[in-house]
Amino acid sequence: MGDHARIGVVGATGAVGTVTLALLAERGFEDVRAFASERSAGSTVRFGDGELVVERATPDALGAGDVDLFFFSVGTSASRELVPAAAVSGAICVDKSSAYRLVDGYPLVVPEVNGARALDALERDRIVANPNCCSIPLTCVLKPLHDEAGLARVHVSTYQSVSGAGAQRMQALAGESSAEHDLTMDWAWEGDESDEEAKLRAETRKILELPDLPISATCVRVPVLVGHSEAIWVELEEPFSPAEATRLLREAPGVQVLELPEFPTPSAAAGIDEVLVGRIRRDTASSTGLAMYLSCDNLRKGAALNAIQIAELLLAGVAGSRA
Ligand SMILES: NC(=O)c1ccc[n+]([C@@H]2O[C@H](COP(=O)([O-])OP(=O)(O)OC[C@H]3O[C@@H](n4cnc5c(N)ncnc54)[C@H](OP(=O)(O)O)[C@@H]3O)[C@@H](O)[C@H]2O)c1
């Protein structure tokens, strides 16, 4: 199948959907349809050098059986309504909401970290969950460190751009004066944690298959348009030098290491595929600790690109099973 597959992008007018369409065009996918709610049905979205007319996403339209693979970036309640209808028709569904991420039996996949898990979906109902935009870059960096030295504990503080909250928030920031800019925590509270902090812990544990990993997060929204950053402190099972960690991360897929005087920034990460990691240093508060800092394009690797990489694994898996 590959780039001949019939693709549906649901949520095509949104922040993630727009990037999904751009990346699909870049990667040579040609048979692509755009879906959104009735609000934008009939409008057009850009696809490569041309345009697509947006179709209304209803359970009947998505369940018609004429699409091989859907990308969903529509929010959790819309995903709960639409994904099952599409999956019943036999289509592969890559869902970017939190509807399926933490439900047992649904793979939660970062291809560089646990790509083989994606193929589990082909044995079941063909639904794969795409992780949160902070869990993806975090696990890309933690996985090689865990494999080499064993993770004992993780602390993380995030600096998340407004595009993580959707296209409307991007427009709102663009219309704000710099005096109005602020740091916020605009998530729902679950006791004394935000749901974003709880998600980051639970998703990281699921992706790394470390259900008891101690991990504590503080998530913050910053007035940046695109690009999430994370300050990370890891404790390892045994002492591990910053030089060894740097060597390891240089070899890690999807990761690019920066060394001083360079350091990761959202603007350097925006528009590229790699997770930028730098400031790799000894954590002076822990005998087995390392500190580091990353930036990642939340709309690309944090969302659309990761989902397309999952899709490419699955389409290759389907083609392989038919060969
Ligand atoms: N932004 C990120 O960095 C990021 C990263 C990872 C995951 N995600 C997840 O991706 C999803 C979308 O995020 P976003 O940032 O792209 O949001 P967004 O900019 O607000 O876009 C939402 C999209 O969903 C469509 N939509 C909303 N309700 C719908 C419904 N009932 N039926 C069909 N389409 C519907 C909207 O279409 P209309 O034009 O018709 O309103 C729009 O295309 C969320 O689940 C989010 O958690 C986002």
Side-chain angles (χ1 to χ4, degrees):
M1 253 192 241
D3 49 11
H4 301 298
R6 297 167 299 171
I7 304 289
V9 176
V10 191
T13 54
V16 176
T18 310
V19 175
T20 305
L21 288 171
L23 292 177
L24 287 170
E26 270 174 29
R27 291 164 106 90
F29 286 87
E30 287 173 358
D31 190 347
V32 176
R33 287 163 64 190
F35 296 87
S37 79
E38 61 181 330
R39 285 182 292 275
S40 21
S43 66
T44 54
V45 285
R46 223 174 126 189
F47 181 65
D49 295 331
E51 286 183 336
L52 300 175
V53 176
V54 176
E55 301 172 55
R56 184 174 171 200
T58 62
D60 284 348
L62 303 191
D66 52 3
V67 169
D68 299 310
L69 186 144
F70 284 102
F71 295 100
F72 287 87
S73 53
V74 289
T76 300
S77 60
S79 276
R80 288 204 176 110
E81 183 197 0
L82 297 171
V83 172
V88 163
S89 78
I92 296 169
C93 298
V94 183
D95 182 48
K96 290 176 235 179
S97 78
S98 30
Y100 295 94
R101 289 180 190 158
L102 297 174
V103 182
D104 279 349
Y106 290 97
L108 180 65
V109 177
V110 181
E112 294 86 344
V113 178
N114 65 341
R117 282 271 165 259
L119 300 177
D120 295 350
L122 298 179
E123 311 292 319
R124 282 180 42 115
D125 51 11
R126 303 185 151 221
I127 300 170
V128 181
N130 190 75
N132 172 283
C133 39
C134 282
S135 314
I136 291 170
L138 181 63
T139 53
C140 284
V141 167
L142 292 183
K143 172 71 171 162
L145 295 171
H146 177 69
D147 286 348
E148 191 80 8
L151 286 174
R153 190 178 311 278
V154 177
H155 291 98
V156 56
S157 186
T158 72
Y159 311 86
Q160 299 179 223
S161 64
V162 296
S163 56
Q168 283 183 352
R169 286 289 299 279
M170 295 172 80
Q171 281 164 11
L173 181 71
E176 244 177 49
S177 73
S178 53
E180 292 173 280
H181 292 172
D182 205 354
L183 305 190
T184 61
M185 297 185 184
D186 53 6
W187 295 280
W189 297 106
E190 288 183 355
D192 53 10
E193 262 189 336
S194 70
D195 63 347
E196 187 81 351
E197 292 160 355
K199 268 184 215 166
L200 187 50
R201 174 174 51 250
E203 292 184 20
T204 300
R205 287 174 167 174
K206 180 168 176 175
I207 297 161
L208 295 176
E209 298 181 15
L210 296 172
D212 301 319
L213 178 69
I215 169 165
S216 164
T218 301
C219 293
V220 180
R221 182 85 61 203
V222 298
V224 165
L225 213 48
V226 177
H228 288 4
S229 299
E230 304 178 33
I232 307 161
W233 296 265
V234 295
E235 276 180 45
L236 299 155
E237 300 288 356
E238 52 199 58
F240 200 62
S241 74
E244 282 175 290
T246 301
R247 176 191 54 75
L248 209 57
L249 289 169
R250 275 194 189 292
E251 290 164 10
V255 173
Q256 185 184 334
V257 175
L258 301 180
E259 290 189 70
L260 287 174
E262 286 190 298
F263 50 85
T265 61
S267 58
I272 67 167
D273 291 351
E274 291 79 18
V275 177
L276 300 178
V277 60
R279 302 287 325 277
I280 302 168
R281 61 200 191 276
R282 209 168 278 294
D283 177 358
T284 53
S286 161
S287 59
T288 61
L290 292 174
M292 62 202 70
Y293 188 80
L294 69 76
S295 297
C296 170
D297 186 325
N298 53 295
L299 298 176
R300 287 173 78 101
K301 185 58 186 164
L305 174 65
N306 195 72
I308 291 173
Q309 291 169 330
I310 293 172
E312 288 172 342
L313 287 176
L314 289 165
L315 293 171
V318 172
S321 67
R322 284 186 188 155

